[in-house]
Structure formats: structure tokens, C-alpha cells
Amino acid sequence: MDPAASQDDFIPAGLAAFGIEADEIELAVINAAHQLFWPPILELLSIDTSAVPVERNPDLSQAPPSR
């Protein structure tokens, strides 16, 4: 499936589901943002983090321990 074709179908449908009307310019901006951000998001989602140990009870007020 062509990613451009799927975004052309799903973005307007998703906006319509929330009752949001978008004109051609707004859709062009949304499509540009999608093209900019979606490839790095897919890269992040494909990273295998199964070998990273789970940090139990992290103290978020402190910096992570150096390795």
C-alpha cells in the first residue's frame, strides 16, 4: 500500500470523525508534518529494546546512572 495514498484517505477521515473540517491548505500542512515526522516515528517503533534492563523504581529527580 502506498503510504501517501493511505494518509490521503485516513487523515481527512480521522478529522471528520472528530467533527473537524479542514480546507486544502490545512490538509497540505498536516500532510507535510506527517511526511516529516512519520518516518522517524517508525524508526523509533522498530528499535528492539528487549535487551535493555528494566529500571525498577526510578528516582526521576536524579540523572540516570552513568555506564
Side-chain angles (χ1 to χ4, degrees):
M1 177 185 266
D2 179 24
S6 65
Q7 81 185 24
D8 288 341
D9 293 337
F10 291 113
I11 291 173
L15 293 172
F18 288 108
I20 300 171
E21 294 181 17
D23 63 17
E24 290 180 18
I25 294 173
E26 292 167 327
L27 288 173
V29 171
I30 292 169
N31 285 332
H34 181 271
Q35 290 173 0
L36 179 68
F37 293 117
W38 192 242
I41 289 171
L42 289 177
E43 258 184 74
L44 285 172
L45 291 173
S46 70
I47 295 174
D48 180 16
T49 60
S50 62
V52 178
V54 176
E55 184 178 355
R56 303 284 181 202
N57 301 320
D59 182 359
L60 300 178
S61 67
Q62 300 293 318
S66 59
R67 294 178 187 224

